[in-house]
Amino acid sequence: MSVRPRDPDQVRLLEADEANLWHPFTRQKAYDPGRMIIAGDGCWVTDVDGRRILDAFSGLWSINLGYGRSDIVAAITAQLQVLPASSLFGQGHPLAAELAERLARRAPGNLDRVFFSVQGSQAVDTSLKLARLYWRARGRVGKTILVTRDRGYHGTSFGGISMQGMPALRLPFEPTLPDVRRIAAPFSYRCRHCQDQCNLGCADELEGLVQTEGADRIAALIAEPVLGSGGVIVPHPDYLPRLREICDANEILLIADEIMTGFGRTGRWFAIDHSGVVPDMLLVAKGLTAGYMPLAATIVTDDIFRAVTAQDVPGPEFATGNTWDAHPPACAAALAVLDVLERDDLVGRVAGMAERFAHEVRRVEEVGIVGDVRAIGLVAGIEFVRDRATREPFGPADGVAALFAEHCWRRRVIVRPLANGVVAIAPPFVISEDELAFMGDSLVAAARATRDDLAR
């Protein structure tokens, strides 16, 4: 398509972007300010040059209901006119109470206490604080070790980077929090315990850690039921039940980080629902408001709530919080999102489209540099390899994921390059079959172009 001329205001803003704006998770030396997005509708965004581009990554795993939702915007606007802000420090507001009630009803098992925060990283920090505070409140002051997994991603707060399972996101900021341990990810394609048949050795590493550290030292394990930024890794069906069994046997809290997967991304309301496991804490954000406002929640059992609030202290039993926790317009957005998800059965729609989505993504398997494709619901990971037979990975210097994402951009599709030669795809829940076909065509063409570039 032809590119429209840029007007003077656009030129000025692009210059301001290049001169003044520091982008997160961006290699600034290679950044192109011309990739400014100015509008969005449905599953598409429009860039500064007027090109319409299919957003096959939903912003950042978050625009689950698509762009331009007038129903969500109307709910936010109405709340701004009534009560634009309100602190939960010793008081409340109606939307926070209603949203907490609905989340407690929707969450699995006995998770019925909701602590709001602003973003996923803060929900992670809240869970880590609660894990240590819970055991302290029960007189078990030695239970301080926090367990995470290789390839796990838990945000960019200091607590989150301390729990990172990806060294490139943790090492630059070390020393990080003490008393953190790591076990294997449930990654069958590159498992250090098994090859062709799963033996749950990755889960049993937690039991090994109990034997070396002692159950009286381990407070909690934090885990994404489906690992996102670490490579879109879907565990064996028996994996999470095995983790729950080990946690129960050793009094270890199980924290399910559903910031990426919550509210339907995998075809269930929560990814952990596929396993039937009930965690002790459930962390949600992104899909909670479908990206329209920042909001997160740490949902915990009544047992945790009562243990912490029963402490005999002069001030707040849980001395933490932020100015914007349970921001009223954000709560309005979340309630509107829940209404849409329930009314239109979009979680069921994701489950119904999962097979077609996986088919379109797996079309790239015809290209020899694709080693593995993993998909569940409307989220998938494509892993590129130097040698398909040996599974030899590309090195970081090859930049294969970024190269593939660049070729997708040229073909008007946005995907997300991850570490380790993996690309993630997670389109909005409202994507049509025609749009899926367009996405599949673009992925195949981009994979071929990437292969040809690497062969030069």
Side-chain angles (χ1 to χ4, degrees):
M1 62 171 289
S2 60
V3 175
R4 69 188 182 194
R6 295 171 179 169
D7 64 39
D9 281 343
Q10 290 174 333
V11 172
R12 178 183 61 81
L13 290 172
L14 291 171
E15 291 173 348
D17 187 319
E18 188 169 23
N20 304 114
L21 188 57
W22 194 343
H23 291 254
F25 276 117
T26 300
R27 183 174 172 81
Q28 289 291 151
K29 292 178 180 178
Y31 171 67
D32 176 9
R35 295 200 173 182
M36 183 177 285
I37 299 299
I38 62 172
D41 63 281
C43 297
W44 299 78
V45 294
T46 302
D47 73 5
V48 70
D49 293 317
R51 295 197 327 146
R52 279 171 53 79
I53 305 165
L54 180 69
D55 185 358
F57 197 64
S58 300
L60 197 64
W61 318 92
S62 58
I63 312 294
N64 291 351
L65 306 188
Y67 297 88
R69 298 286 314 209
S70 59
D71 43 4
I72 302 174
V73 173
I76 296 168
T77 302
Q79 185 57 40
L80 282 167
Q81 295 171 336
V82 174
L83 184 68
S86 180
S87 167
L88 289 188
F89 288 26
Q91 60 197 45
H93 66 80
L95 270 65
E98 182 181 355
L99 181 57
E101 179 186 43
R102 289 183 67 175
L103 291 178
R105 287 205 309 261
R106 181 59 69 179
N110 58 344
L111 295 162
D112 57 9
R113 293 287 180 167
V114 181
F115 192 96
F116 288 113
S117 51
V118 180
Q119 59 171 328
S121 293
Q122 290 173 327
V124 168
D125 272 14
T126 297
S127 73
L128 303 181
K129 294 175 188 175
L130 278 174
R132 288 183 171 172
L133 186 58
Y134 169 75
W135 292 116
R136 179 178 293 274
R138 291 188 53 186
R140 310 281 294 281
V141 295
K143 285 177 79 73
T144 59
I145 290 176
L146 303 168
V147 184
T148 185
R149 301 178 302 175
D150 296 338
R151 293 177 174 260
Y153 178 85
H154 301 290
T156 56
S157 64
F158 204 73
I161 63 169
S162 299
M163 307 305 291
Q164 287 289 7
M166 291 176 282
L169 301 182
R170 182 183 74 251
L171 296 179
F173 309 105
E174 287 193 332
T176 51
L177 292 179
D179 277 357
V180 173
R181 306 289 186 270
R182 289 173 181 82
I183 59 175
F187 190 14
S188 60
Y189 188 66
R190 298 193 181 279
C191 185
R192 62 190 182 216
H193 293 281
C194 55
Q195 290 296 328
D196 297 326
Q197 186 172 0
C198 180
N199 60 18
L200 297 181
C202 51
D204 289 339
E205 283 195 20
L206 178 60
E207 197 165 54
L209 191 63
V210 169
Q211 293 172 0
T212 57
E213 298 285 356
D216 58 344
R217 291 273 290 124
I218 302 176
L221 165 69
I222 187 169
E224 301 162 273
V226 172
L227 285 84
S229 295
V232 188
I233 298 168
V234 183
H236 188 279
D238 295 333
Y239 171 77
L240 286 168
R242 177 62 179 146
L243 280 188
R244 178 75 272 182
E245 178 185 359
I246 297 169
C247 287
D248 287 344
N250 297 282
E251 296 185 289
I252 299 169
L253 298 176
L254 177 59
I255 304 168
D257 183 341
E258 295 250 12
I259 290 161
M260 181 272 283
T261 51
F263 304 99
R265 175 56 64 184
T266 67
R268 298 286 183 93
W269 275 87
F270 303 100
I272 203 162
D273 292 341
H274 290 277
S275 68
V277 166
V278 177
D280 300 291
M281 302 188 215
L282 182 74
L283 314 183
V284 296
K286 296 184 184 295
L288 175 57
T289 62
Y292 278 73
M293 292 288 282
L295 185 67
T298 304
I299 310 173
V300 308
T301 62
D302 195 59
D303 175 60
I304 291 174
F305 171 80
R306 292 191 181 281
V308 170
T309 57
Q311 297 176 98
D312 185 14
V313 293
E317 300 95 355
F318 188 34
T320 193
N322 303 279
T323 303
W324 305 109
D325 289 349
H327 185 49
C331 289
L335 289 166
V337 166
L338 290 176
D339 288 343
V340 173
L341 289 170
E342 293 169 353
R343 183 194 68 214
D344 298 343
D345 188 23
L346 289 184
V347 179
R349 187 175 194 274
V350 171
M353 297 192 75
E355 185 176 352
R356 173 63 189 276
F357 169 70
H359 166 75
E360 292 296 341
V361 177
R362 289 196 170 108
R363 289 171 57 194
V364 301
E365 290 176 331
E366 71 173 52
V367 183
I369 59 171
V370 174
D372 192 35
V373 176
R374 307 176 280 272
I376 183 172
L378 284 181
V379 58
I382 301 171
E383 181 161 348
F384 295 94
V385 293
R386 193 182 303 278
D387 187 301
R388 183 180 281 179
T390 65
R391 303 182 182 182
E392 179 188 355
F394 284 101
D398 295 308
V400 62
L403 179 60
F404 175 77
E406 172 64 25
H407 280 297
C408 287
W409 173 273
R410 294 175 187 175
R411 289 159 178 80
R412 300 193 301 124
V413 172
I414 295 173
V415 299
R416 176 72 173 176
L418 306 176
N420 307 308
V422 179
V423 170
I425 304 164
F429 299 174
V430 294
I431 193 168
S432 69
E433 292 205 2
D434 286 346
E435 289 167 335
L436 281 176
F438 172 78
M439 179 196 77
D441 290 343
S442 300
L443 294 177
V444 172
R448 291 171 178 164
T450 301
R451 175 200 60 199
D452 295 345
D453 282 352
L454 291 170
R456 291 191 178 98

